[in-house]
Amino acid sequence: MSAKNGKQFNNKKQTMVKDSKFYEKLLNTYLQGSVEAAKTAPITDTKISTATKKAIKHLLKQRKKDTFWDGKIEDTPALTAQYILYMHYMDMVDKEKQKKCVNYLLNIQNENGSWRIYAGDEGDLSYTIHSYFGLKVAGVDPNIPAMKKAKEYILKNGGAEKGNVETRFLLALFGKSSWKRAVPIPLHIVMLGKWFPLSMYNMAYWIRVTLVSMGILYYLKPVKDLGTYCDIDELWLDLKMKKKYTCPKKVKPFSIGNLFYQLSKFAKWLVKVLPKDRMLKKALRWVLEHQDESGDWGGIYPPMMYGSFMLKEMGYDNNSEVIVKAKQAIERFHYVTEDEIMQMSCVSPIWDTAWAIIALNRAGMPYDDSVIQKAKDWLYSKQIWAEGDWKIHAPNAKPGMWAFQHYNDYYPDTDDTAVVLMALQESIKDGKESEIKGFKAGCDWLYNMQNPDGGWAAFERKIDKKFLLKIPLNDLDNYIDPSTPELTGRILELFGRLGFSIDSPFIKKGIESLKVQQEDFGSWDGKWGVNYIYGAFGVLRGLGAIGYNMKEPWVQKCVHWLFSIQNQDGGWG
């Protein structure tokens, strides 16, 4: 290190220490009761008051176990089709559950024969292939109108050969296309340390926790032969494509994307020639170490399904504890009615409960009401005190945070932690040592999770290498977890409520990141909600809470945009 670089490093380190001391002093001042939290204005309008009382009554009816809230999460119906495939792959077919899954899929099919990603879209090719295949595996007659319409949609939109990376992988697992067509997952490369740019530790957690199990399966290349009754040759425009490896995303000849595609061909060869046994054992150990006690992996459905497939192929039987727990975790994500089962991607009890407390308190329910107190105690009981993968890029951070789901100890997130802390803010006035300790630990974790660019990402720091969006595996452009404006705004709001202002160095960095991320028309792109209104909501509340001058031109630009998109009935869509 040169003298100049050494001096810059030491100056940066001194600034970080100074910032940290400033943060500690101000937070401790708040925790000791010297800073008063902002009060919510009372509701005086009669109509709003009446509507609020009705909303409170409805919200209280939604509680689970008379304690917390956990609403329905709608995702692509293809997850329900994947659950059918899961049952068949694992030789665990429950005919009654399968029937309910079939009912759900047929009832939610789009008019054009497709299945959607989100409510109101006109269909997704890959997830329509999954749904069609899942229904056929379940024994649904391919000649019924629903299946004919689905087939027509698939062929009209390019056939099975246009399916995405996951579609190639699933079809290969069931022998409906060749493993030659699957995109390679070279574990020898992706399991290298964070120092290597293509390491899984530089990829978003939801990719990492799924990729290792899928990588093992790619090395093993198993085929679950269910018979010819569920063949889907009718979905291919050109059957020769079943054995041909092509780039799964559009790339220009002279581009980084095409370079990665050519390298992926080399990766296929690499997987063939490198010794596998040691790598498979290493990968298996990683997967087992990252399974929560509850059986979950990452609190989301895909790694639970692929993890189960992988364990089966690695010699675990269906009665083994890891597979039994994984099955229980998957089925906890079922939304069940009398006639249907919908497979949810995850559950949201922490998020829902925190917002419910905030809403009830702002609507006039005293914080010492038993409803809020029970929910408050439950949230403290869900605080995570174990280290997870976030420690890799945030070595100074210590545990004491929250996840979105019931169980996800390895991958808590900043958004839930911030909202939970806002919900628990009033609790520290009681002076309970354990609650003050928990509250401060959550704040400390958030402080240490700030990205170098000044913003906050959802799960980890420094998962923002944009070149990862170019690799063939990443056809959905979701391999990174960068700072997002609505999360930065939410965390600024929390610290603003705790007495921090624009004088705080880390707050200033957050503001600068928001200026950089603002869209030309004035708002912000909210990644974890829909979408520009959500971004504006998070950012404006954050800026207001820290005492920022809301008359600044760049802030007013967003305000003017919000007025410009207001609906004629006075609301926003």
Side-chain angles (χ1 to χ4, degrees):
M1 183 184 290
S2 68
K4 182 179 179 182
N5 288 341
K7 185 177 180 180
Q8 289 176 339
F9 175 79
N10 287 330
N11 288 341
K12 185 177 180 181
K13 189 174 181 180
Q14 288 171 6
T15 301
M16 289 171 65
V17 171
K18 187 177 179 181
D19 288 358
S20 180
K21 287 181 177 178
F22 182 90
Y23 158 81
E24 285 284 345
K25 182 178 179 180
L26 194 50
L27 181 60
N28 285 331
T29 300
Y30 178 83
L31 293 173
Q32 291 162 11
S34 302
V35 178
E36 189 67 28
K39 298 292 183 183
T40 301
I43 299 171
T44 55
D45 185 284
T46 305
K47 288 183 178 179
I48 293 177
S49 178
T50 300
T52 300
K53 288 175 182 176
K54 288 182 179 179
I56 290 173
K57 188 176 180 180
H58 174 76
L59 187 58
L60 293 179
K61 288 181 180 178
Q62 307 305 311
R63 281 193 298 171
K64 307 288 185 182
K65 298 182 180 179
D66 204 33
T67 302
F68 62 91
W69 285 263
D70 186 10
K72 175 184 178 183
I73 293 183
E74 287 201 52
D75 210 311
T76 170
L79 292 181
T80 303
Q82 288 183 12
Y83 175 66
I84 294 173
L85 299 178
Y86 160 82
M87 287 192 289
H88 284 265
Y89 196 101
M90 300 300 293
D91 299 312
M92 295 180 179
V93 180
D94 182 316
K95 295 291 186 181
E96 186 59 30
K97 288 179 179 177
Q98 179 171 270
K99 182 180 177 182
K100 288 187 174 185
C101 289
V102 169
N103 289 343
Y104 169 72
L105 286 168
L106 293 176
N107 289 338
I108 204 168
Q109 186 181 21
N110 283 342
E111 196 61 38
N112 65 359
S114 69
W115 280 271
R116 58 172 175 76
I117 294 178
Y118 57 89
D121 85 354
E122 295 186 5
D124 179 86
L125 173 62
S126 294
Y127 292 136
T128 300
I129 295 169
H130 294 198
S131 299
Y132 180 95
F133 180 46
L135 288 170
K136 204 165 182 188
V137 167
V140 175
D141 185 350
N143 293 311
I144 67 170
M147 295 291 276
K148 285 184 175 180
K149 287 173 71 175
K151 174 186 165 185
E152 289 171 8
Y153 174 88
I154 292 167
L155 294 175
K156 183 179 177 182
N157 286 275
E161 48 263 65
K162 291 292 184 180
N164 64 15
V165 167
E166 186 182 16
T167 306
R168 296 183 183 200
F169 197 90
L170 270 176
L171 295 184
L173 278 172
F174 287 90
K176 304 309 175 187
S177 72
S178 170
W179 277 105
K180 292 179 181 178
R181 185 163 175 75
V183 180
I185 305 173
L187 291 176
H188 288 82
I189 293 174
V190 300
M191 291 198 74
L192 291 171
K194 68 176 182 179
W195 58 270
F196 188 68
L198 292 173
S199 166
M200 66 181 185
Y201 295 110
N202 293 317
M203 299 176 186
Y205 106 80
W206 56 86
I207 299 299
R208 184 185 320 140
V209 76
T210 309
L211 201 63
V212 181
S213 291
M214 291 180 75
I216 293 173
L217 288 167
Y218 182 82
Y219 276 48
L220 298 175
K221 294 182 175 56
V223 173
K224 180 68 174 180
D225 185 4
L226 298 178
T228 58
Y229 83 95
C230 58
D231 283 351
I232 53 168
D233 284 0
E234 67 272 20
L235 300 185
W236 296 80
L237 293 174
D238 182 357
L239 287 173
K240 293 178 182 177
M241 294 298 291
K242 291 171 69 173
K243 295 182 179 180
K244 189 174 181 181
Y245 178 57
T246 56
C247 190
K249 54 197 298 183
K250 289 182 179 180
V251 294
K252 295 179 180 179
F254 301 100
S255 66
I256 295 176
N258 189 47
L259 173 63
F260 276 121
Y261 169 53
Q262 300 306 325
L263 288 174
S264 73
K265 295 177 182 178
F266 172 73
K268 278 181 169 285
W269 174 82
L270 204 64
V271 170
K272 285 182 181 179
V273 299
L274 288 177
K276 296 181 178 61
D277 289 350
R278 191 173 174 183
M279 177 50 61
L280 290 174
K281 288 177 182 177
K282 178 183 177 181
L284 173 63
R285 184 167 62 250
W286 189 94
V287 173
L288 293 174
E289 288 172 351
H290 282 74
Q291 186 180 33
D292 286 304
E293 282 295 317
S294 58
D296 299 62
W297 276 287
I300 50 177
Y301 174 78
M304 298 181 198
M305 180 181 76
Y306 289 113
S308 298
F309 292 174
M310 178 275 291
L311 289 171
K312 184 181 180 70
E313 298 302 335
M314 290 295 284
Y316 289 77
D317 63 49
N318 286 348
N319 294 317
S320 61
E321 185 179 17
V322 285
I323 288 183
V324 169
K325 283 186 173 182
K327 181 176 184 289
Q328 291 169 348
I330 286 172
E331 294 183 348
R332 275 199 304 273
F333 288 9
H334 284 177
Y335 186 86
V336 183
T337 66
E338 185 178 348
D339 301 313
E340 296 182 350
I341 288 178
M342 180 186 78
Q343 178 70 56
M344 296 189 291
S345 59
C346 65
V347 291
S348 56
I350 308 297
W351 181 254
D352 297 347
T353 301
W355 278 115
I357 290 175
I358 292 170
L360 291 170
N361 190 225
R362 290 183 185 175
M365 180 179 285
Y367 202 83
D368 60 5
D369 188 286
S370 62
V371 169
I372 291 180
Q373 287 296 301
K374 286 178 73 174
K376 178 261 295 184
D377 291 342
W378 183 81
L379 283 177
Y380 272 118
S381 76
K382 303 300 286 186
Q383 190 168 15
I384 298 168
W385 294 100
E387 291 184 354
D389 281 5
W390 49 266
K391 189 76 173 177
I392 294 168
H393 289 285
N396 294 326
K398 296 179 180 179
M401 55 283 149
W402 284 265
F404 186 67
Q405 309 89 338
H406 281 292
Y407 312 105
N408 191 6
D409 284 1
Y410 290 98
Y411 305 104
D413 70 279
T414 61
D415 207 3
D416 278 270
T417 299
V419 175
V420 167
L421 290 170
M422 283 194 271
L424 298 178
Q425 187 177 348
E426 289 290 314
S427 72
I428 59 176
K429 292 182 178 179
D430 296 337
K432 291 182 182 178
E433 186 176 344
S434 62
E435 293 183 355
I436 292 175
K437 176 189 174 185
F439 191 92
K440 185 177 184 302
C443 291
D444 289 347
W445 185 76
L446 281 176
Y447 174 79
N448 284 290
M449 292 299 288
Q450 188 174 25
N451 267 327
D453 64 11
W456 277 267
F459 296 94
E460 297 171 84
R461 296 179 74 243
K462 298 183 179 181
I463 309 296
D464 51 11
K465 294 176 172 56
K466 292 184 178 179
F467 71 85
L468 289 173
L469 301 178
K470 303 293 184 181
I471 64 176
L473 264 175
N474 185 18
D475 60 339
L476 299 180
D477 291 341
N478 65 344
Y479 266 45
I480 59 175
D481 180 20
S483 298
T484 63
E486 79 278 22
L487 300 194
T488 301
R490 189 111 61 233
I491 293 165
L492 292 182
E493 180 181 359
L494 165 69
F495 284 116
R497 290 174 171 275
L498 299 178
F500 290 84
S501 69
I502 55 175
D503 296 326
S504 307
F506 79 104
I507 297 291
K508 288 180 181 177
K509 286 177 64 180
I511 294 170
E512 289 306 309
S513 78
L514 294 177
K515 289 181 179 179
V516 171
Q517 289 187 300
Q518 188 175 25
E519 302 289 334
D520 290 340
F521 59 84
S523 190
W524 288 266
D525 185 359
K527 176 181 174 69
W528 298 99
V530 184
N531 175 279
Y532 293 110
I533 292 177
Y534 190 70
F537 152 68
V539 171
L540 295 182
R541 288 192 62 85
L543 292 174
I546 58 174
Y548 193 80
N549 179 9
M550 304 301 280
K551 297 297 182 182
E552 284 280 329
W554 69 284
V555 180
Q556 284 298 303
K557 192 174 184 180
C558 180
V559 175
H560 294 318
W561 174 77
L562 283 170
F563 278 122
S564 74
I565 62 164
Q566 187 176 20
N567 291 334
Q568 288 187 347
D569 62 6
W572 281 266

